Amino acid sequence: MTYKFDIIHIRALDNGIHDYKQVIDNASEVLRPGGVLLLASVGMYAYDEEKKLLPSAASEDGRKPSALGCLFSALREMFSKQGRATDALWAWPDWINGDPRYEGFGMRDCYNPLGPWMEDGERSERAIGALTRENTLGIMDISEKMLIQAGYEPKLVKEWVTGSRREIEAQEPRVFKLFRYAWATRTSV
């Protein structure tokens, strides 16, 4: 007997799997017609207050490199070299809209503050910012170990991690993280 599900929720798999599109294909096989596919992911990117990507090198507009921008860039590069689906969230629209087994694709990007720096923000935004900051600080040690094991220069990695901690704790620059949500309905095809 094959079971069919009403909802399949896939969250934060990007860095843990190699073939994200295959996961979406497999989901269609066990999702009943009319069932909903929900995707959620946090991009390994950091954005400034204007929601521009933090630079990992000197930028053309004169912005200085951010340690956090450098760290996230190195992590994306490392995961990509390992064949991980680091940037799958950018491909969701093409994969799902191009698949006749899905319809009604929708997507929403939410920029959450990395730290409770939004003085004029709602209480929930400050709480989300504080939690996002704690979670990001919590991955620093493991990120350092992974990058060094992957062959990155230990001194440089240490500078990125130390600088990232300093930026996050000082809330300078003020940073947003991108949370992307997407959904689609299983057709009867």
Side-chain angles (χ1 to χ4, degrees):
M1 177 176 195
T2 302
Y3 292 96
K4 297 286 184 174
F5 295 92
D6 295 324
I7 298 174
I8 295 178
H9 182 189
I10 301 171
R11 178 178 44 173
L13 282 181
D14 309 30
N15 298 325
I17 60 173
H18 295 277
D19 192 347
Y20 201 112
K21 184 167 183 337
Q22 185 63 51
V23 171
I24 292 173
D25 290 344
N26 291 346
S28 73
E29 299 300 321
V30 295
L31 191 61
R32 71 163 177 78
V36 177
L37 173 67
L38 298 172
L39 305 173
S41 188
V42 179
M44 184 83 55
Y45 297 88
Y47 298 85
D48 66 16
E49 286 183 271
E50 296 173 10
K51 299 187 178 112
K52 292 181 181 176
L53 191 61
L54 284 182
S56 57
S59 63
E60 292 177 12
D61 61 5
R63 294 183 303 149
K64 295 178 184 174
S66 157
L68 191 57
C70 293
L71 178 64
F72 282 176
S73 178
L75 286 167
R76 286 193 314 273
E77 180 183 73
M78 178 194 70
F79 286 132
S80 180
K81 285 179 180 177
Q82 294 172 350
R84 309 281 178 94
T86 305
D87 289 330
L89 70 164
W90 306 115
W92 291 348
D94 292 334
W95 291 342
I96 295 172
N97 284 323
D99 189 329
R101 296 171 295 184
Y102 293 105
E103 64 186 6
F105 176 79
M107 187 169 65
R108 181 168 182 205
D109 288 343
C110 297
Y111 290 87
N112 293 342
L114 181 54
W117 55 263
M118 294 181 68
E119 294 87 13
D120 61 341
E122 294 181 22
R123 183 175 161 208
S124 61
E125 288 175 308
R126 289 190 306 274
I128 288 169
L131 291 170
T132 303
R133 177 184 60 194
E134 293 309 310
N135 288 339
T136 304
L137 287 169
I139 67 166
M140 292 293 161
D141 291 335
I142 190 66
S143 297
E144 183 176 351
K145 291 175 187 170
M146 288 189 311
L147 287 167
I148 291 170
Q149 286 176 350
Y152 286 78
E153 166 60 40
K155 183 179 180 217
L156 186 57
V157 172
K158 187 75 166 170
E159 287 175 17
W160 292 336
V161 170
T162 302
S164 293
R165 282 185 187 281
R166 190 172 29 254
E167 289 174 2
I168 292 169
E169 289 168 356
Q171 297 181 43
E172 188 57 43
R174 292 181 168 190
V175 175
F176 285 103
K177 289 205 58 178
L178 170 67
F179 288 69
R180 176 167 278 185
Y181 304 92
W183 55 90
T185 304
R186 176 69 163 93
T187 63
S188 58
V189 173

